[in-house]
Amino acid sequence: MTSSNKRASSASEVRDDLKALLSPSTDYSFLEKLLKSGRWKDADRETTTLILAVAHRESQGYLDIESLGKLPCDIFRTIDQLWCQYSNGRFGFSVQYRIWQEIGGSTSADIETYKLFGEKVGWRRPNDWLWYNNLVFEIDKAPPGHLPSGRVGDIAIASRLMGKLGGFGLTRVLAIMAKLEECGIR
């Protein structure tokens, strides 16, 4: 590769990184409308859609760990505030973060801590992860921190296809909790 090709590639990478860092004027009005009307499942899906849009990952349909780390804090802050406001403090990233802390979650957490977190927020029963459609989308029946789930696709499918789901799920939760910590969302 020539020197000018390296610079062009590097400049392109810098532009991509800047795009991921700079949140476009994200419109949260549809999410707010869904939350206000108690349409929790639709709001959960819209939350994922918003995050993927800001990360420029719509075509991939999932958020990788690197992209998650580059997301601006304001998207997490705004989404958390909306979820907390309309669920009366029952749902939101900050609720999930507090639960993570209560069970001893840390950056060195193991798979057992991850499973316990899943059980506390209602994404897991003692021996298995729940299918997305088995999550509880009724505010008076769902445990605190149950939403947003942040799921694209179904963790239960991945678990069944890949065996016991260790790295992906745990790594994802660790990255999200680290991001919430970085953003001061507690």
Side-chain angles (χ1 to χ4, degrees):
M1 185 181 280
T2 67
S3 177
S4 63
N5 285 347
K6 284 181 186 175
R7 279 194 302 268
S9 175
S10 179
S12 174
E13 289 172 6
V14 169
R15 274 195 300 279
D16 289 346
D17 286 349
L18 283 173
K19 267 190 202 175
L21 289 170
L22 300 173
S23 177
S25 57
T26 306
D27 183 3
Y28 298 95
S29 61
F30 186 56
L31 174 61
E32 185 169 18
K33 178 182 174 183
L34 294 170
L35 289 167
K36 189 181 268 189
S37 63
R39 293 173 53 194
W40 306 111
K41 187 173 189 176
D42 293 332
D44 188 48
R45 290 182 173 161
E46 176 64 10
T47 297
T48 301
T49 299
L50 282 170
I51 290 172
L52 290 175
V54 170
H56 307 286
R57 302 275 307 170
E58 304 98 326
S59 63
Q60 292 85 353
Y62 67 93
L63 187 65
D64 63 349
I65 303 303
E66 182 181 348
S67 299
L68 190 150
K70 292 179 181 178
L71 281 169
C73 289
D74 68 323
I75 188 167
F76 288 102
R77 219 174 271 115
T78 302
I79 289 171
D80 180 58
Q81 289 168 352
L82 290 169
W83 274 96
C84 288
Q85 177 183 348
Y86 291 106
S87 71
N88 294 315
R90 190 164 189 81
F91 301 142
F93 295 127
S94 57
V95 178
Q96 294 169 350
Y97 181 84
R98 284 191 298 275
I99 293 168
W100 180 252
Q101 293 297 303
E102 288 169 10
I103 64 165
S106 69
T107 56
S108 60
D110 61 10
I111 192 68
E112 295 307 315
T113 305
Y114 169 59
K115 288 178 182 178
L116 179 59
F117 176 72
E119 289 172 18
K120 290 282 187 186
V121 298
W123 299 342
R124 177 181 170 81
R125 293 207 177 103
N127 294 313
D128 207 4
W129 294 96
L130 297 180
W131 296 90
Y132 183 79
N133 285 333
N134 291 343
L135 295 182
V136 180
F137 296 101
E138 298 173 53
I139 194 167
D140 56 339
K141 294 181 181 174
H146 193 62
L147 299 171
S149 72
R151 292 197 191 173
V152 180
D154 205 311
I155 199 168
I157 292 171
S159 178
R160 286 171 177 82
L161 292 175
M162 298 179 343
K164 294 299 174 195
L165 190 62
F168 171 78
L170 174 60
T171 303
R172 181 177 160 276
V173 167
L174 290 174
I176 290 169
M177 295 306 162
K179 187 66 179 184
L180 297 178
E181 177 79 27
E182 173 192 324
C183 297
I185 299 170
R186 298 181 183 103

